[in-house]
């Protein structure tokens, strides 16, 4: 079996504080892995290590069979291949939607502007923002801004997308429009790792659910297994609070 992403014995310390205590995870191409777990369990740190926003303390990460941890790796290349979307949309306020989407492919990848513009238009249409391409972030709702952020990440043609609680800062009525975009992306075959508290999404879209606590993977399985029949008492306790 070939994996697009392989993580072996990953640890991360901040000073003496060991936040990730040896994580092993293998992800198949096209798989949607949902990560759940209490606040402070290391979910964000884990995602940030995967695209090298944080330097892992030890362990290995392989992308399509090639190690991306270690000193001889071009971190910028890695980040182009692994897109990430955050809770805070972090759009550039002085650029409109399409300019936000076009910026990195033009400036970082030095791609042809006309080609990028075509792609940016297509992506903004795909996330339902055909009529909002020339709006500035301040003129857009949170849900629209987050969809621009997703289009912006996709504009780099990533092989994997990481989502870190991307609906947590949104008003409830705006959550669905963002989850629908992510669902479509999953249907289109994107490999995704999604940290979320949206259990409906996890059940419907997730191929696998991982419960993290205290910097380790406590339990994993199909959504059905984890939600309906959790084995670990910590998983049971967590789910009893949120379901
Ligand atoms: P989660 O996303 O599951 O809520 P985080 O990965 O954000 O968890 O944080 C896990 C732990 O790591 C927390 O105790 C947090 O305080 C700590 N931590 C995260 N980032 C840093 C940092 N840059 N420096 C020091 N400690 C950090
Ligand atoms: Mg977090």
């Amino acid at each position: 079996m070939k994996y697009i992403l392989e993580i072996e014995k990953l640890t991360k310390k901040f000073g003496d504080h060991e936040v990730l205590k040896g994580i092993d995870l293998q992800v198949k191409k096209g798989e949607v892995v949902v990560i759940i777990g209490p606040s402070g369990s290391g979910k964000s740190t884990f995602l940030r290590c995967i695209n090298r926003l944080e330097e892992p303390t030890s362990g290995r990460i392989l992308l399509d069979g090639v190690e991306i941890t270690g000193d001889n790796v071009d971190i910028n290349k890695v980040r182009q291949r692994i897109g990430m979307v955050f809770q805070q949309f972090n759009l550039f306020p002085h650029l409109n939607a399409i300019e936000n989407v076009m910026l990195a492919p033009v400036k970082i990848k030095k791609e042809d502007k006309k080609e990028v513009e075509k792609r940016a238009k297509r992506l903004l249409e795909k996330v339902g923002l055909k009529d909002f391409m020339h709006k500035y972030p301040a003129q857009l709702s949170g849900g629209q801004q987050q969809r621009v952020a997703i289009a912006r990440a996709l504009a780099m043609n990533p092989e994997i997308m990481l989502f870190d609680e991307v609906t947590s800062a949104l008003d409830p009525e705006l959550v669905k429009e963002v989850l629908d975009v992510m669902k479509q992306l999953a249907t289109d075959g994107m490999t995704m790792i999604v940290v979320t508290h949206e259990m409906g999404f996890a059940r419907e879209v997730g191929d696998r659910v991982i419960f993290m606590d205290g910097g380790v993977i406590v339990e994993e399985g199909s959504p059905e297994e984890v939600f309906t029949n959790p084995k670990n008492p910590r998983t049971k306790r967590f789910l009893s609070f949120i379901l």
Side-chain angles (χ1 to χ4, degrees), residues 93-104:
H94 60 292
L95 299 179
N96 67 26
I98 193 161
E99 289 166 346
N100 263 281
V101 175
M102 290 175 62
L103 186 70

Side-chain angles (χ1 to χ4, degrees), residues 196-215:
T196 188
H197 299 300
E198 296 292 334
M199 296 303 140
F201 176 89
R203 260 184 196 275
E204 193 186 347
V205 183
D207 294 307
R208 190 153 40 123
V209 172
I210 284 176
F211 173 65
M212 262 181 83
D213 194 11

Side-chain angles (χ1 to χ4, degrees), residues 43-44 164-165:
K43 305 180 297 298
S44 294
D164 193 2
E165 298 197 29

Side-chain angles (χ1 to χ4, degrees), residues 19-156:
V19 170
L20 299 178
K21 298 175 181 163
I23 304 248
D24 290 287
L25 178 67
Q26 295 168 323
V27 180
K28 291 179 212 156
K29 202 165 180 334
E31 196 177 13
V32 178
V33 176
V34 172
I35 302 180
I36 60 172
S39 181
S41 57
K43 305 180 297 298
S44 294
T45 304
F46 181 45
L47 290 191
R48 293 167 62 82
C49 282
I50 293 175
N51 83 340
R52 301 289 309 269
L53 284 173
E54 296 285 359
E55 189 64 23
T57 303
S58 67
R60 297 205 313 158
I61 302 174
L62 286 79
L63 177 59
D64 212 4
V66 178
E67 185 170 359
I68 57 165
T69 31
D71 295 336
N72 302 327
V73 174
D74 182 344
I75 293 180
N76 290 319
K77 283 262 155 57
V78 170
R79 292 195 193 133
Q80 289 173 25
R81 298 176 65 190
I82 305 180
M84 185 156 176
V85 185
F86 304 86
Q87 181 174 335
Q88 299 305 333
F89 334 119
N90 301 318
L91 297 177
F92 299 105
H94 60 292
L95 299 179
N96 67 26
I98 193 161
E99 289 166 346
N100 263 281
V101 175
M102 290 175 62
L103 186 70
V106 172
K107 294 282 179 220
I108 297 175
K109 275 191 165 174
K110 312 281 182 212
E111 287 186 70
D112 176 68
K113 205 169 170 182
K114 278 274 165 284
E115 287 302 309
V116 174
E117 189 174 5
K118 271 190 232 161
R119 190 158 80 233
K121 279 186 177 155
R122 186 169 48 74
L123 286 168
L124 284 167
E125 275 175 31
K126 193 180 156 97
V127 301
L129 295 174
K130 187 177 190 308
D131 298 329
F132 297 85
M133 296 194 192
H134 301 288
K135 299 279 189 205
Y136 286 83
Q139 300 172 300
L140 298 171
S141 73
Q144 290 168 335
Q145 288 184 60
Q146 193 57 293
R147 286 183 282 146
V148 175
I150 293 171
R152 180 175 62 173
L154 292 173
M156 297 295 269

Side-chain angles (χ1 to χ4, degrees), residues 170-186:
L170 298 177
D171 291 333
E173 73 273 19
L174 303 178
V175 168
K176 185 176 179 297
E177 63 190 47
V178 174
L179 293 179
D180 283 348
V181 164
M182 292 164 67
K183 190 172 149 187
Q184 185 59 49
L185 200 54

